[in-house]
Amino acid sequence: MASKECSFLSRRPLNVRARWDSEDVALVSGRDVFGAMKHKGAIALAANARHPLTVKGILKAAKKLDAAVIIEIAKSETNYCGSNFDTLPEAAVRYSSEIGHGAVFALHVDHYGIKGYDDVIKAVSDLGRIVRNGWTSVAIDASHLPDWENLCATRDVAMHVPPYFGLEVEVGEIKGAGELSTVEEALYFVGGLNSWSIFPDLLAISNGSLHGTYDASKGQAEGIDLERTKEIAEAIAPYGVSIAQHGISGTAIDKCAEFSKYGINKGNVATLFQNVLFGIKMDQETGNAVIEGDSYIKEQDRGIPMDLWNDLVSWCDGQGYSRKDGNYKKANLPFWERIASLPSDRLDMIVEETQWWAERFIKAFNAEGTAEIVKERMSSRENWNPFPDMKVQASRGDFGSDKAPNAAKKDGEDYSD
């Protein structure tokens, strides 16, 4: 093994080395991945692995294209998926080993939802387990709260996230067109965190995306407002923060290729990879699930076999879900073991399609070669620790409750995914 490679592996996060020091797994801090993306003007593909099998396809694409990637799962997804905070790190390291290691990736806790004091306390407890399990990045999502409460809750949880982890925070619930985050909200939130010595890498905003499938029969269409995104990105750039784009499934690949011009350095893709797993018919330019006759369309030669799909549909029918319901995601947990036990040729087919989509995103995101940038950054610094050399620029007195842009959030659906 080359000396540079040895140096790079020896500078992985300490929690990774504590658990897998004998493995050559290239599991790195989210801070190093996000830093490499900013350096190149690229976007990290962040894949939500609702089934562990998704990880293998993502890592194969990352290794092939020398791209650093993010493997993630949201707190809410752990309640209805085969992947969770305990099992996904093990699966990721196992799949990395199966492909001969070499894929550079971070493990990101996506959307760790905070909706009140009890969730803050639970987060403090959970973070100890998250660190021990080898995660290397966290997204704190208290965006359901009014701006002042969001700031306080995010601050309190962030103070318990290791400073060598990647850190993502969120302002404005991600709920599709209609309610866009404002520059005022973003500056209040990021500036307020800075005043408490909290230095996020990324800010997730509401800019017109939606979690899940866009249903044209309901008048839904992808409408990511890139101009608003750019305004916010430019406003928060002095704090060293860029944008995390959520809800990319259903967005044209050509549009994704423009994202980096608007201050976006992380791109979340979840539902699309679930569509691949299930074999749901998709628009090949967007990955959006095709709905015909108020139903998803299952393609026989893709994803899980038809007999398993029929059992899955029957289960969803029994739960009272329509056949074009976003709650089909909740079938992941009861069926994940049956999927994992499918014949190897069927599993290989799913992995190959996952890899194909991942490669398309990596290329559109200009992320080829970012794995090498991560290695260079890690090898060239004086020690293993990627905590950035940042300064407090803001005064806490400018970010009190009386300065919050809004006092309350509107009632609405839960978009916590």
Side-chain angles (χ1 to χ4, degrees):
M1 185 181 294
S3 60
K4 178 176 164 182
E5 191 81 3
C6 290
S7 176
F8 149 72
L9 290 173
S10 70
R11 293 184 175 180
R12 292 172 295 178
L14 291 190
N15 67 322
V16 173
R17 293 173 60 191
R19 185 167 184 188
W20 292 296
D21 205 27
S22 61
E23 288 272 4
D24 287 343
V25 58
L27 172 53
V28 303
S29 169
R31 288 209 187 270
D32 283 318
V33 174
F34 305 142
M37 299 301 155
K38 292 175 185 178
H39 176 82
K40 192 184 180 191
I43 299 169
L45 170 61
N48 289 62
R50 292 178 177 174
H51 192 285
L53 188 64
T54 298
V55 176
K56 189 171 186 179
I58 303 300
L59 294 184
K60 289 185 73 174
K63 184 176 181 180
K64 178 180 176 181
L65 299 180
D66 189 37
V69 296
I70 305 291
I71 303 297
E72 63 184 22
I73 195 75
K75 174 187 171 186
S76 56
E77 288 176 314
T78 65
N79 296 318
Y80 58 80
C81 293
S83 300
N84 57 51
F85 295 153
D86 294 322
T87 61
L88 192 55
E90 294 176 356
V93 173
R94 182 176 72 253
Y95 284 130
S96 177
S97 178
E98 285 184 15
I99 67 172
H101 289 311
V104 175
F105 66 101
L107 284 173
H108 183 75
V109 173
D110 185 31
H111 280 296
Y112 193 100
I114 304 292
K115 298 183 181 180
Y117 175 78
D118 289 346
D119 286 337
V120 171
I121 297 302
K122 186 176 187 299
V124 172
S125 174
D126 273 356
L127 279 164
R129 175 168 60 105
I130 286 165
V131 173
R132 288 193 301 274
N133 283 348
W135 294 85
T136 62
S137 191
V138 172
I140 303 167
D141 178 8
S143 64
H144 294 76
L145 301 174
D147 288 332
W148 166 246
E149 284 83 352
N150 183 6
L151 171 57
C152 292
T154 301
R155 174 202 66 195
D156 292 348
V157 176
M159 286 184 170
H160 294 83
V161 175
Y164 61 86
F165 270 37
L167 180 61
E168 178 181 334
V169 295
E170 185 165 333
V171 64
E173 298 173 55
I174 311 293
K175 58 173 60 178
E179 291 188 35
L180 302 181
S181 300
T182 67
V183 172
E184 182 186 19
E185 286 178 309
L187 279 174
Y188 172 82
F189 184 54
V190 173
L193 291 173
N194 179 271
S195 75
W196 283 95
S197 301
I198 306 296
F199 308 119
D201 300 284
L202 299 161
L203 175 69
I205 60 174
S206 179
N207 66 352
S209 68
L210 176 69
H211 287 121
T213 296
Y214 291 93
D215 186 350
S217 69
K218 292 183 178 179
Q220 293 177 344
E222 184 275 304
I224 295 174
D225 189 328
L226 290 176
E227 291 306 320
R228 173 62 61 82
T229 303
K230 186 176 182 180
E231 291 173 2
I232 293 174
E234 290 177 345
I236 63 177
Y239 291 107
V241 182
S242 56
I243 301 296
Q245 179 62 57
H246 288 209
I248 286 178
S249 298
T251 305
I253 293 288
D254 288 347
K255 185 170 184 177
C256 292
E258 300 295 312
F259 282 173
S260 62
K261 299 177 183 177
Y262 296 86
I264 298 169
N265 288 125
K266 175 174 179 274
N268 289 20
V269 184
T271 305
L272 181 150
F273 291 119
Q274 177 182 280
N275 294 342
V276 171
L277 182 72
F278 291 168
I280 293 174
K281 186 176 181 180
M282 300 157 64
D283 181 319
Q284 292 298 291
E285 292 307 312
T286 67
N288 198 49
V290 174
I291 295 173
E292 297 176 3
D294 289 331
S295 176
Y296 296 128
I297 306 301
K298 161 66 179 163
E299 296 188 311
Q300 185 168 348
D301 58 348
R302 294 179 50 249
I304 61 177
M306 286 302 298
D307 59 343
L308 182 51
W309 169 255
N310 290 334
D311 289 346
L312 187 151
V313 170
S314 295
W315 182 87
C316 289
D317 287 348
Q319 306 302 307
Y321 304 150
S322 79
R323 293 192 174 183
K324 61 173 185 177
D325 200 320
N327 279 319
Y328 263 52
K329 63 190 179 184
K330 295 182 180 177
N332 278 283
L333 182 57
F335 288 91
W336 85 271
E337 289 184 306
R338 287 183 62 185
I339 294 172
S341 300
L342 289 171
S344 59
D345 59 342
R346 179 63 69 158
L347 295 177
D348 289 344
M349 182 176 66
I350 294 170
V351 169
E352 287 175 10
E353 187 179 353
T354 300
Q355 179 180 349
W356 182 78
W357 276 101
E359 288 181 19
R360 291 183 75 189
F361 279 114
I362 288 169
K363 291 175 181 178
F365 288 165
N366 190 34
E368 292 176 272
T370 51
E372 185 63 22
I373 296 173
V374 169
K375 293 177 183 179
E376 290 173 354
R377 289 170 62 89
M378 294 174 66
S379 299
S380 63
R381 62 175 173 245
E382 293 182 356
N383 56 57
W384 68 272
N385 199 323
F387 183 57
D389 183 9
M390 301 287 289
K391 294 181 180 179
V392 173
Q393 306 176 48
S395 172
R396 294 177 194 173
D398 295 330
F399 298 93
S401 59
D402 59 322
K403 305 292 178 62
N406 69 338
K409 294 284 188 184
K410 296 178 181 178
D411 292 333
E413 297 180 65
D414 178 1
Y415 292 88
S416 57
D417 278 357

